[in-house]
Amino acid sequence: MFDLAIVGAGIIGLSCARAAALQGLRTVVIDRDAEACGASVRNFGFITVTGQERGTSWARARRSCAIWEDVARQAGISILQRGLWMTTRRPEAAAVLEAFVHTEMGEGCHILSRAQAAARCPELVGPDVQAVLHSSVDLRVESREALPKIAAWLAERHGVVFLRQTAVLSVEPPKLETSRGIVAAGAAVVCPGDDVVSLFAHRIAKYQPTRCKLQMLRLADPGFRLPGAVMSDLGLVRYAGYSALPEAALLRARLEAEQGEHLRHGIHLIAVQSADGSLVVGDSHHYATTPDFFADERVDRLILDEFAAATGRPPSAVRERWIGTYPSCTDRTLFIDAPSRAVRIVMITSGSGASTGFAIGEEVVGDLLSRGAANDDS
């Protein structure tokens, strides 16, 4: 008999497993795949604090970033980059940066003039750069390596049991019906990723989630090291921590006039660097109940055009291309639903699982414990 069963071994499931293990709960994680293959590994590995939505999301990101530091050390995960390099090339974008650093969200951030940025990283200061926001509080890991290491650490250090290649058919604690038979657990957390139909479909449907499709690329080593994750003007109208500021309205109007096609495809720039020097670059955002899984070369060109405009240099050769998906809601960054006292459904609907997941895991497990559900064997 387990205290807690977690359905889904992506970053949210692993975050809940960590929180449960630290509370001494006997925990099992059940996943239909042999290894993580969804949004948790098809991303940038960018643990983003700077730019998260003001308030609860930003606080969760700060907490999650601190936990990442601890987990990375214990699980042998390399932190490949620290910080953010938000380069701007329009005066309206520079004005958003000035407003941002004067909020509480600007902690750990400062603005570099063009000359200061050129002294730090001349390779990234193109002819149009006006100012750069440099943050020291963000982290970057290689997701496809980090997720398996977290799972191995949870199993070896904390005794978390993993049942892989196992489908969960129903969740009614103290019993979960699976494709391998019955699993007994006092409580359950369902972390379905973008699967909105397999479990609790009627509960999930009330939040009206759709799915977001991303196009991602890996570029060859550009021959120098990035000073942090690189973003650009388009990110200032995408990330709510910036876009909700009054100063962002003028920037959005100018971007709609000058880069309307980029905005229509939901494109903003993130570029991060891997241990081999290669760059993970993206991304775009297209929404559908069932997105197609075909990459549009025109969208990739728009992403690479923004890379060239932001950095002042042509992109290096494309080495990989892939599609990611995650669930999305227009009115919330996540939802935590309680079908019963002993069950929680957790769905991140903003693509911020890596950035906020560890804090959310603590909240979910804490809630179950406060209600006595996670250690009730009755």
Side-chain angles (χ1 to χ4, degrees):
M1 178 77 171
F2 293 98
D3 297 312
L4 181 65
I6 297 167
V7 182
I11 188 59
I12 303 304
L14 296 182
S15 296
C16 291
R18 170 196 168 271
L22 293 182
Q23 294 293 331
L25 301 183
R26 294 163 293 171
T27 302
V28 59
V29 178
I30 310 169
D31 196 277
R32 63 189 174 190
D33 293 308
E35 58 187 34
C37 61
S40 295
V41 296
R42 300 189 204 179
N43 56 31
F44 297 95
F46 184 27
I47 294 93
T48 315
V49 177
T50 311
Q52 291 292 345
E53 185 176 29
R54 197 172 196 169
T56 302
S57 293
W58 182 72
R60 284 172 172 154
R62 283 170 57 85
R63 173 61 183 156
S64 295
C65 196
I67 296 172
W68 267 106
E69 292 269 17
D70 181 58
V71 170
R73 183 178 64 256
Q74 295 190 55
I77 298 166
S78 297
I79 294 177
L80 301 175
Q81 289 179 277
R82 293 179 181 273
L84 167 68
W85 183 273
M86 172 72 80
T87 181
T88 59
R89 57 188 191 275
R90 296 172 176 89
E92 294 88 347
V96 176
L97 298 189
E98 287 287 351
F100 178 81
V101 296
H102 286 96
T103 70
E104 75 284 0
M105 299 179 292
E107 182 180 345
C109 304
H110 63 281
I111 295 176
L112 302 176
S113 67
R114 176 183 170 80
Q116 290 170 325
R120 287 283 301 273
C121 187
E123 296 91 346
L124 286 180
V125 181
D128 298 327
V129 168
Q130 301 244 337
V132 171
L133 176 71
H134 185 257
S135 166
S136 61
V137 299
D138 311 275
L139 304 176
R140 198 262 159 166
V141 299
E142 195 74 65
S143 295
R144 63 179 77 176
E145 297 175 4
L147 268 288
K149 287 187 175 183
I150 295 171
W153 168 70
L154 287 170
E156 294 164 9
R157 180 72 65 86
H158 295 287
V160 175
V161 175
F162 284 83
L163 298 181
R164 301 280 190 176
Q165 294 182 282
T166 303
V168 177
L169 309 177
S170 67
V171 177
E172 297 179 7
K175 180 177 71 175
L176 284 79
E177 183 183 2
T178 81
S179 58
R180 293 176 182 258
I182 299 300
V183 173
V189 179
V190 178
C191 309
D194 65 353
D195 180 355
V196 301
V197 298
S198 296
L199 294 169
F200 299 105
H202 64 293
R203 303 285 304 196
I204 293 172
K206 69 181 182 180
Y207 298 98
Q208 299 183 305
T210 186
R211 296 168 76 191
C212 180
K213 165 188 167 182
L214 320 173
Q215 290 188 202
M216 305 277 291
L217 308 102
R218 185 179 294 274
L219 307 184
D221 186 346
F224 65 95
R225 302 302 297 182
L226 302 185
V230 174
M231 297 180 68
S232 70
D233 295 29
L234 290 171
L236 295 174
V237 297
R238 181 85 199 174
Y239 275 64
Y242 313 112
S243 65
L245 297 172
E247 290 79 2
L250 288 176
L251 174 62
R252 180 177 293 279
R254 182 165 178 181
L255 289 172
E256 287 173 348
E258 296 178 355
Q259 291 189 275
E261 190 173 8
H262 288 79
L263 294 180
R264 283 191 293 276
H265 289 286
I267 290 171
H268 71 106
L269 177 70
I270 300 178
V272 296
Q273 197 156 34
S274 296
D276 63 359
S278 65
L279 305 181
V280 176
V281 176
D283 58 356
S284 57
H285 298 78
H286 296 93
Y287 301 89
T289 303
T290 303
D292 68 66
F293 288 88
F294 302 97
D296 187 332
E297 181 63 23
R298 295 170 300 173
V299 172
D300 282 353
R301 284 201 301 269
L302 288 171
I303 294 170
L304 294 175
D305 285 348
E306 180 64 9
F307 177 93
T311 64
R313 56 190 303 118
S316 47
V318 177
R319 299 301 188 205
E320 290 180 331
R321 304 173 193 264
W322 67 94
I323 296 295
T325 66
Y326 65 77
S328 177
C329 290
T330 58
D331 61 345
R332 66 192 68 231
T333 59
L334 82 159
F335 63 82
I336 300 171
D337 190 84
S340 69
R341 182 178 65 87
V343 178
R344 298 293 180 273
I345 305 165
V346 185
M347 184 172 284
I348 310 300
T349 56
S350 54
S352 61
S355 299
T356 61
F358 278 126
I360 292 165
E362 289 183 334
E363 293 172 22
V364 171
V365 171
D367 179 52
L368 285 171
L369 284 172
S370 71
R371 298 171 187 271
N375 50 21
D376 182 357
D377 292 339
S378 61

